[in-house]
Amino acid sequence: VSVDAPTRESLIEIDRPLFSDAWERLKESLMSLKARGQRTVARLTVVKGWNSDEISGYADLIALGHVSLVEVKGVTFCGTSDASNLNMSNTPYHHEVVALTRQLKKELDKLRNLPRENGQEEIPEYDLACEHKHSCSVLLARVDQFSTLSSDGKGRRWRTWIDYEKFHALAARHVEDPTFTYSVEDYSEETPSWALFGANEEGFDPTETRHRRKNKHPKYTQFDDSGVPTHDDNNQALSEQERARLAKEMQDRMEGLGGDDGETTVITEYRDGSKKIEDPSLMFRGLVVIKE
């Protein structure tokens, strides 16, 4: 189920639904997933300036369905058109999607810790299982369905992939014998190490070849918490002097936008309904260098 917004008001603004009861339909759809018995997914497409706030509202919706997986993905800008008033500034960077997903997990944990009424089911525990930087996406997975303790007992082994041969065999057996049932765990397969959240590959399959357009490479490869670059295009640490210069450049941009008290993002709304996001903490993220 696509969960496009965390509140009734933002859902109407973003989706422009045909049905006046779209919000109620969304909640009913999520609640119906509880009884599916197989893999279920809530998919969140993050659009900066439109639906990237009120994370607790997303947690409330996800809790309705006890879904197996929560896929959080940044919106892909496909160019201007009469059907959309989005622009490139509405597309989040991968690290922003990661931060939102971490916050979503915290909000779900808060709900799990609330006192339950008689007969109320416990909300499943979720954790960050996978990521794919190229797709700007992160996967939250149910701990009870997709993880086991690692051999050292200190971490988790994730099984978010699908053993399709086993799945088809189980499905075929159910067709022959409708009394036969099977669950999510019966056809799960171990997640490859390169697909795990936090892996150095960041979700890129090492058996595939990455092609960069016109040999473009990121000018900076690592950043501090405020967005100031710390490493150059060769992943070498920048000098303290260079980092100070870049930090001063960012501070000047913030002051130029009128940002203070730690508030760095400025959202400008236009008459056509579009919203432009200006965030100095991102000013160095998209810079590239050409390498032959």
Side-chain angles (χ1 to χ4, degrees):
V1 174
S2 292
V3 182
D4 296 336
T7 66
R8 180 195 301 271
E9 294 73 22
S10 56
L11 183 74
I12 293 173
E13 183 181 20
I14 292 166
D15 281 357
R16 293 173 288 181
L18 295 175
F19 300 101
S20 60
D21 61 344
W23 178 249
E24 287 71 24
R25 287 172 180 249
L26 171 61
K27 292 195 294 184
E28 289 173 6
S29 296
L30 287 166
M31 287 188 285
S32 71
L33 296 180
K34 274 188 183 181
R36 293 296 297 173
Q38 299 301 327
R39 285 187 176 217
T40 55
V41 183
R43 190 172 192 272
L44 283 60
T45 300
V46 182
V47 188
K48 286 178 63 176
W50 291 90
N51 67 354
S52 53
D53 298 323
E54 301 180 86
I55 309 304
S56 61
Y58 283 119
D60 291 337
L61 291 172
I62 291 166
L64 293 175
H66 292 196
V67 294
S68 303
L69 302 163
V70 183
E71 182 190 75
V72 186
K73 186 181 186 304
V75 69
T76 300
F77 178 62
C78 300
T80 57
S81 71
D82 294 336
S84 172
N85 53 15
L86 298 183
N87 56 68
M88 196 63 190
S89 73
N90 301 131
T91 299
Y93 281 86
H94 182 64
H95 76 279
E96 294 179 289
V97 175
V98 170
L100 187 150
T101 308
R102 290 187 187 276
Q103 184 60 39
L104 177 57
K105 171 182 161 44
K106 290 181 181 179
E107 295 296 337
L108 287 165
D109 288 342
K110 289 180 184 178
L111 293 179
R112 290 188 76 242
N113 293 327
L114 290 176
R116 282 178 288 156
E117 299 178 0
N118 291 336
Q120 186 177 15
E121 294 181 71
E122 182 180 20
I123 296 171
E125 180 183 2
Y126 294 87
D127 206 351
L128 285 77
C130 305
E131 67 178 323
H132 192 263
K133 187 175 182 179
H134 186 64
S135 299
C136 203
S137 62
V138 181
L139 187 71
L140 277 175
R142 278 179 56 164
V143 170
D144 62 325
Q145 291 183 333
F146 297 104
S147 77
T148 58
L149 281 177
S150 58
S151 56
D152 59 9
K154 297 180 180 179
R156 293 194 175 107
R157 293 179 58 187
W158 288 103
R159 297 178 58 82
T160 58
W161 279 39
I162 298 175
D163 183 333
Y164 282 101
E165 288 188 8
K166 185 175 291 187
F167 172 76
H168 288 304
L170 292 168
R173 182 176 172 184
H174 175 71
V175 171
E176 294 176 359
D177 178 8
T179 64
F180 171 74
T181 60
Y182 57 98
S183 63
V184 172
E185 296 87 341
D186 293 330
Y187 53 89
S188 293
E189 191 171 84
E190 186 162 352
T191 310
S193 60
W194 53 265
L196 294 172
F197 180 79
N200 292 332
E201 295 87 349
E202 298 177 311
F204 291 98
D205 186 341
T207 64
E208 298 181 353
T209 302
R210 180 174 182 176
H211 297 277
R212 295 183 180 273
R213 186 178 180 184
K214 296 182 179 179
N215 296 320
K216 291 182 178 180
H217 293 256
K219 185 174 182 179
Y220 302 109
T221 54
Q222 295 186 46
F223 304 81
D224 65 15
D225 291 340
S226 63
V228 175
T230 61
H231 291 68
D232 64 13
D233 58 296
N234 293 313
N235 207 30
Q236 298 297 310
L238 299 175
S239 67
E240 290 296 326
Q241 182 179 6
E242 178 63 7
R243 289 178 63 177
R245 185 188 71 80
L246 295 171
K248 176 64 166 57
E249 189 175 334
M250 180 182 292
Q251 183 63 35
D252 291 344
R253 176 74 68 85
M254 289 173 57
E255 293 175 357
L257 290 173
D260 53 14
D261 298 328
E263 184 62 44
T264 63
T265 302
V266 175
I267 301 177
T268 305
E269 297 190 37
Y270 296 98
R271 290 183 178 180
D272 63 356
S274 62
K275 299 179 182 180
K276 181 180 180 181
I277 317 298
E278 295 180 88
D279 185 350
S281 71
L282 304 175
M283 61 185 290
F284 299 114
R285 293 273 180 174
L287 303 181
V288 297
V289 294
I290 305 298
K291 292 184 178 183
E292 298 299 333

Short mmCIF file of all heavy atoms in Angstrom, two decimals, residues 228-230 237-247:
data_model
loop_
_atom_site.label_atom_id
_atom_site.label_comp_id
_atom_site.label_asym_id
_atom_site.label_seq_id
_atom_site.Cartn_x
_atom_site.Cartn_y
_atom_site.Cartn_z
N VAL A 228 29.30 19.85 5.90
CA VAL A 228 30.60 20.36 5.42
C VAL A 228 31.45 19.17 4.98
O VAL A 228 31.59 18.20 5.72
CB VAL A 228 31.32 21.16 6.52
CG1 VAL A 228 32.71 21.57 6.06
CG2 VAL A 228 30.51 22.38 6.90
N PRO A 229 32.04 19.22 3.77
CA PRO A 229 32.87 18.11 3.29
C PRO A 229 34.07 17.85 4.20
O PRO A 229 34.68 18.79 4.73
CB PRO A 229 33.32 18.57 1.91
CG PRO A 229 32.30 19.58 1.49
CD PRO A 229 31.90 20.28 2.75
N THR A 230 34.39 16.57 4.36
CA THR A 230 35.57 16.18 5.14
C THR A 230 36.59 15.41 4.31
O THR A 230 37.74 15.30 4.71
CB THR A 230 35.16 15.31 6.34
OG1 THR A 230 34.51 14.11 5.86
CG2 THR A 230 34.21 16.06 7.26
N ALA A 237 41.28 12.81 3.39
CA ALA A 237 40.80 13.83 4.32
C ALA A 237 41.23 15.23 3.89
O ALA A 237 42.39 15.44 3.49
CB ALA A 237 41.32 13.53 5.73
N LEU A 238 40.30 16.17 3.97
CA LEU A 238 40.63 17.57 3.66
C LEU A 238 41.39 18.18 4.83
O LEU A 238 41.25 17.77 5.98
CB LEU A 238 39.34 18.37 3.43
CG LEU A 238 38.45 17.92 2.27
CD1 LEU A 238 37.15 18.75 2.27
CD2 LEU A 238 39.17 18.08 0.94
N SER A 239 42.20 19.19 4.53
CA SER A 239 42.94 19.88 5.58
C SER A 239 41.97 20.68 6.45
O SER A 239 40.86 21.02 6.03
CB SER A 239 43.98 20.82 4.97
OG SER A 239 43.32 21.88 4.27
N GLU A 240 42.40 20.97 7.67
CA GLU A 240 41.57 21.77 8.57
C GLU A 240 41.29 23.14 7.96
O GLU A 240 40.20 23.69 8.12
CB GLU A 240 42.27 21.92 9.92
CG GLU A 240 42.32 20.63 10.73
CD GLU A 240 40.94 20.15 11.13
OE1 GLU A 240 40.06 21.00 11.38
OE2 GLU A 240 40.73 18.92 11.18
N GLN A 241 42.27 23.68 7.26
CA GLN A 241 42.10 24.99 6.63
C GLN A 241 41.02 24.95 5.56
O GLN A 241 40.18 25.85 5.48
CB GLN A 241 43.42 25.45 6.02
CG GLN A 241 43.35 26.83 5.39
CD GLN A 241 44.69 27.27 4.81
OE1 GLN A 241 45.65 26.50 4.77
NE2 GLN A 241 44.76 28.51 4.35
N GLU A 242 41.03 23.88 4.74
CA GLU A 242 40.03 23.77 3.68
C GLU A 242 38.64 23.54 4.26
O GLU A 242 37.65 24.11 3.79
CB GLU A 242 40.40 22.63 2.73
CG GLU A 242 39.40 22.37 1.60
CD GLU A 242 39.25 23.54 0.64
OE1 GLU A 242 40.02 24.52 0.74
OE2 GLU A 242 38.37 23.46 -0.23
N ARG A 243 38.54 22.73 5.30
CA ARG A 243 37.25 22.50 5.93
C ARG A 243 36.70 23.78 6.55
O ARG A 243 35.50 24.05 6.46
CB ARG A 243 37.38 21.41 6.99
CG ARG A 243 37.61 20.01 6.42
CD ARG A 243 37.80 18.98 7.50
NE ARG A 243 36.61 18.83 8.33
CZ ARG A 243 36.50 17.94 9.32
NH1 ARG A 243 37.51 17.11 9.58
NH2 ARG A 243 35.40 17.87 10.05
N ALA A 244 37.60 24.57 7.14
CA ALA A 244 37.16 25.85 7.72
C ALA A 244 36.66 26.79 6.64
O ALA A 244 35.67 27.52 6.83
CB ALA A 244 38.31 26.48 8.50
N ARG A 245 37.33 26.78 5.48
CA ARG A 245 36.91 27.63 4.37
C ARG A 245 35.53 27.24 3.87
O ARG A 245 34.66 28.09 3.64
CB ARG A 245 37.93 27.54 3.22
CG ARG A 245 37.62 28.50 2.06
CD ARG A 245 38.54 28.23 0.87
NE ARG A 245 38.22 26.98 0.22
CZ ARG A 245 37.22 26.81 -0.64
NH1 ARG A 245 36.41 27.83 -0.93
NH2 ARG A 245 37.01 25.64 -1.20
N LEU A 246 35.31 25.94 3.73
CA LEU A 246 34.02 25.46 3.26
C LEU A 246 32.92 25.73 4.29
O LEU A 246 31.79 26.07 3.93
CB LEU A 246 34.10 23.96 2.95
CG LEU A 246 35.03 23.58 1.80
CD1 LEU A 246 35.21 22.06 1.74
CD2 LEU A 246 34.50 24.09 0.48
N ALA A 247 33.26 25.59 5.57
CA ALA A 247 32.28 25.88 6.62
C ALA A 247 31.88 27.35 6.59
O ALA A 247 30.70 27.69 6.79
CB ALA A 247 32.86 25.51 7.98
#
